[in-house]
Amino acid sequence: MKKKLILKKYFTNSLIIMIASGIFSLSQFLLISMMTKIYGITEVGYYTYALAIITPLATFVGLNLRAVQLTDVKDKFKFGDFFSLRVFGILIMSVVFLMIVISGEHDGNTLFLVISILVIIRKSIELLIEVIHSKLLREKAYKKYSTSLIVIGVLSFLSFITLSFFTENLIISLMFYTLVWLLVFIMYDSKNIKLINEVSNYKLNIRSVYKLIIFSLPLAFVSTMNVLYTNVPRIFIERHLGFNEVGIFSSLIYIGLVGSIFISGITVIFSTKLADINNEAQASKFMKIVMLQIFVTTFFVGIVFLIFSFFGETILVFIFTEEFNIYNNVMLVLVIVLGLGFTAQILGSACTSAQKNKQQFIVALFCIPLLVISSYILIPLFGLYGASISLGITYLLKNILLTLTLFIHFRKVTKT
């Protein structure tokens, strides 16, 4: 009876997180959809290109502390260590961005520059919120975490749409979009964990923070390289095809953002559990959970592929504009490619739970050069098809190498 109650509670919590992740990811996708309809593909190209440049930087200074927090089952580090390191990372990111601005690389495009500034402010807020979310998940405060995701997603999207309707100004709309993130951080998230008390009671331990940096650095490189997967093709597309094609490719691939954040919600549920199972060296149980995630993901990707096979052109026109009706074949390729990306995401999260961080870095050292070379060759020849194929080849290799990493890990564990 007690076991049934535990399973019911676990299922309920998992469902809450998945629903919240789904709503949040949908809001992020709808932002791109409405931006395309209201402002045009080129403006979407500016926004997504700014993300392509800033996101890897934000990811690196973020050191993937979320993964460390969720899998720190032995409480080696304090919340203050994570939060102070995240603040320090934001300062570094701001200085680097300021140096880029001073260098004058984008002097001729004021709109792109202002959008980039707003993106980096929003990314900074997101990094702070993420530390709080990780603490809530560790404390099993699933409802507070889920509420935060839903509030951020819904209110930020509504603010963007409302301001776009009244002003028809992308900059003003993005400013209010960013403001919502800040308000939710101050008025909701920080209060959930009593952030002021946490910070005031924390005494900076340089040695502990140094250990956290050393421990997190391999994950920082891995997570940075992970965001490069979809951003590297955008850089080559911009160089060879222009901002308009960047906007089209980014809009298509943003459909996968719904799935990616949804997968993140699923992996978040299992991260701490998998870390515990890994400590107990239960290889069979560990892999069963991983395979279940992959099976569910593959099933839904198959459904999405069938939907786009029959109704793709209609869906793309409805979501974006008439210009997209000729890109359904590209979308079909991308559905398969993104499916490979989702399974790689699950395997990567499993490797993190198994503390195979250095191995993930080695995997990325094989995959990213392959992506750069294939993008360099295929995008000039085949355009957006080339970008999709190069991404697909890279994700396939990543899946193989991550699976091999887990196999070798548990083979060693079983022998000992």
Side-chain angles (χ1 to χ4, degrees):
M1 185 70 180
K2 188 177 180 181
K3 189 175 181 180
K4 286 184 178 180
L5 287 173
I6 293 172
L7 286 172
K8 184 179 180 182
K9 187 177 180 181
Y10 189 77
F11 176 78
T12 302
N13 291 331
S14 301
L15 187 62
I16 289 171
I17 291 175
M18 285 190 285
I19 291 171
S21 299
I23 293 171
F24 177 76
S25 57
L26 182 61
S27 70
Q28 300 298 289
F29 166 69
L30 289 175
L31 175 74
I32 297 297
S33 173
M34 296 311 297
M35 195 183 293
T36 306
K37 287 180 177 292
I38 298 170
Y39 298 107
I41 296 173
T42 302
E43 282 72 13
V44 173
Y46 290 148
Y47 178 73
T48 54
Y49 193 69
L51 283 173
I53 294 172
I54 294 167
T55 300
L57 175 61
T59 303
F60 182 75
V61 300
L63 291 171
N64 204 358
L65 293 180
R66 179 176 191 168
V68 180
Q69 263 183 288
L70 291 175
T71 56
D72 184 26
V73 292
K74 295 181 181 179
D75 293 321
K76 295 178 182 177
F77 305 104
K78 296 179 180 179
F79 172 79
D81 297 331
F82 292 106
F83 192 80
S84 58
L85 190 52
R86 190 53 67 86
V87 171
F88 182 64
I90 289 170
L91 292 174
I92 292 175
M93 179 173 66
S94 302
V95 170
V96 172
F97 179 73
L98 184 63
M99 291 171 64
I100 294 172
V101 171
I102 292 172
S103 71
E105 186 180 345
H106 302 289
D107 273 349
N109 199 325
T110 305
L111 178 60
F112 175 75
L113 182 61
V114 176
I115 288 174
S116 298
I117 292 170
L118 290 172
V119 169
I120 205 164
I121 293 171
R122 202 265 295 168
K123 277 289 179 184
S124 299
I125 300 166
E126 184 180 344
L127 287 172
L128 294 177
I129 290 176
E130 188 179 81
V131 180
I132 296 175
H133 281 180
S134 299
K135 180 175 173 60
L136 292 174
L137 287 167
R138 281 298 308 275
E139 295 174 350
K140 298 183 179 180
Y142 301 121
K143 289 184 180 179
K144 290 180 179 178
Y145 165 77
S146 300
T147 301
S148 176
L149 276 184
I150 293 170
V151 170
I152 291 172
V154 173
L155 290 186
S156 60
F157 173 70
L158 289 177
S159 68
F160 178 85
I161 291 299
T162 303
L163 269 295
S164 294
F165 177 78
F166 283 109
T167 67
E168 295 184 359
N169 186 301
L170 178 59
I171 298 301
I172 294 174
S173 301
L174 285 175
M175 284 175 63
F176 275 83
Y177 173 80
T178 305
L179 180 62
V180 169
W181 280 74
L182 179 61
L183 290 174
V184 174
F185 168 69
I186 295 171
M187 299 177 69
Y188 185 76
D189 287 312
S190 61
K191 291 181 179 179
N192 274 333
I193 64 160
K194 298 180 181 179
L195 181 62
I196 295 175
N197 292 339
E198 288 278 357
V199 173
S200 59
N201 293 330
Y202 172 71
K203 291 183 180 179
L204 182 63
N205 187 329
I206 300 296
R207 188 176 180 181
S208 180
V209 172
Y210 175 75
K211 284 183 179 180
L212 182 56
I213 292 172
I214 297 302
F215 185 77
S216 302
L217 266 177
L219 271 178
F221 284 107
V222 171
S223 57
T224 302
M225 289 183 172
N226 282 341
V227 299
L228 288 175
Y229 285 105
T230 54
N231 289 321
V232 165
R234 293 179 196 177
I235 294 171
F236 282 98
I237 291 170
E238 190 276 328
R239 288 184 179 180
H240 294 285
L241 306 174
F243 277 113
N244 195 64
E245 294 296 305
V246 173
I248 292 168
F249 182 77
S250 298
S251 298
L252 293 175
I253 212 163
Y254 253 83
I255 293 176
L257 179 69
V258 179
S260 182
I261 298 178
F262 188 71
I263 297 300
S264 295
I266 294 174
T267 55
V268 157
I269 297 167
F270 291 107
S271 291
T272 305
K273 181 72 174 175
L274 286 174
D276 287 329
I277 294 171
N278 179 66
N279 286 336
E280 296 166 4
Q282 297 182 43
S284 177
K285 190 174 181 181
F286 188 100
M287 291 310 300
K288 280 180 181 178
I289 293 175
V290 174
M291 292 308 298
L292 176 62
Q293 294 177 70
I294 291 175
F295 174 78
V296 172
T297 300
T298 305
F299 176 76
F300 280 108
V301 168
I303 291 175
V304 172
F305 183 83
L306 287 174
I307 291 171
F308 273 95
S309 295
F310 291 102
F311 311 106
E313 292 181 10
T314 305
I315 293 171
L316 291 176
V317 171
F318 176 76
I319 294 174
F320 302 114
T321 62
E322 289 287 342
E323 297 174 70
F324 282 80
N325 65 349
I326 61 173
Y327 292 101
N328 188 48
N329 288 335
V330 177
M331 189 66 237
L332 287 173
V333 176
L334 275 175
V335 169
I336 298 171
V337 169
L338 291 170
L340 290 170
F342 296 156
T343 56
Q345 188 177 343
I346 291 167
L347 290 167
S349 178
C351 286
T352 301
S353 294
Q355 297 188 351
K356 297 289 103 181
N357 302 333
K358 291 180 182 179
Q359 288 81 353
Q360 288 190 75
F361 177 59
I362 294 170
V363 168
L365 286 179
F366 280 98
C367 292
I368 294 300
L370 174 63
L371 178 60
V372 171
I373 294 168
S374 57
S375 295
Y376 178 78
I377 295 171
L378 295 176
I379 289 174
L381 292 175
F382 304 108
L384 299 188
Y385 282 109
S388 304
I389 293 167
S390 62
L391 197 55
I393 294 169
T394 307
Y395 277 147
L396 181 60
L397 177 63
K398 186 180 180 184
N399 274 276
I400 293 169
L401 294 178
L402 289 176
T403 302
L404 188 61
T405 299
L406 287 172
F407 176 77
I408 293 171
H409 166 65
F410 282 112
R411 190 176 181 183
K412 288 180 180 179
V413 169
T414 305
K415 283 184 177 181
T416 55

Short mmCIF file of all heavy atoms in Angstrom, two decimals, residues 14 66 81 114 259:
data_model
loop_
_atom_site.label_atom_id
_atom_site.label_comp_id
_atom_site.label_asym_id
_atom_site.label_seq_id
_atom_site.Cartn_x
_atom_site.Cartn_y
_atom_site.Cartn_z
N SER A 14 5.77 13.98 -11.49
CA SER A 14 6.32 13.91 -12.84
C SER A 14 5.38 14.57 -13.85
O SER A 14 5.82 15.32 -14.74
CB SER A 14 6.58 12.46 -13.24
OG SER A 14 7.46 11.84 -12.35
N ARG A 66 23.31 23.52 -12.98
CA ARG A 66 22.04 22.82 -12.71
C ARG A 66 22.26 21.31 -12.59
O ARG A 66 21.75 20.67 -11.67
CB ARG A 66 21.04 23.11 -13.83
CG ARG A 66 19.71 22.41 -13.64
CD ARG A 66 18.73 22.80 -14.72
NE ARG A 66 17.40 22.34 -14.40
CZ ARG A 66 16.30 22.73 -15.05
NH1 ARG A 66 16.39 23.60 -16.04
NH2 ARG A 66 15.12 22.27 -14.72
N ASP A 81 27.33 28.63 -2.77
CA ASP A 81 28.42 28.36 -3.72
C ASP A 81 27.92 28.44 -5.15
O ASP A 81 28.55 29.07 -6.01
CB ASP A 81 29.02 26.97 -3.47
CG ASP A 81 29.66 26.83 -2.10
OD1 ASP A 81 30.14 27.84 -1.56
OD2 ASP A 81 29.66 25.71 -1.56
N VAL A 114 20.96 46.22 -30.32
CA VAL A 114 20.00 46.42 -29.22
C VAL A 114 19.34 45.09 -28.86
O VAL A 114 19.16 44.77 -27.67
CB VAL A 114 18.93 47.46 -29.60
CG1 VAL A 114 17.88 47.59 -28.49
CG2 VAL A 114 19.58 48.82 -29.85
N GLY A 259 9.89 20.30 -28.00
CA GLY A 259 10.30 18.97 -27.61
C GLY A 259 11.52 18.97 -26.71
O GLY A 259 11.59 18.24 -25.73
#
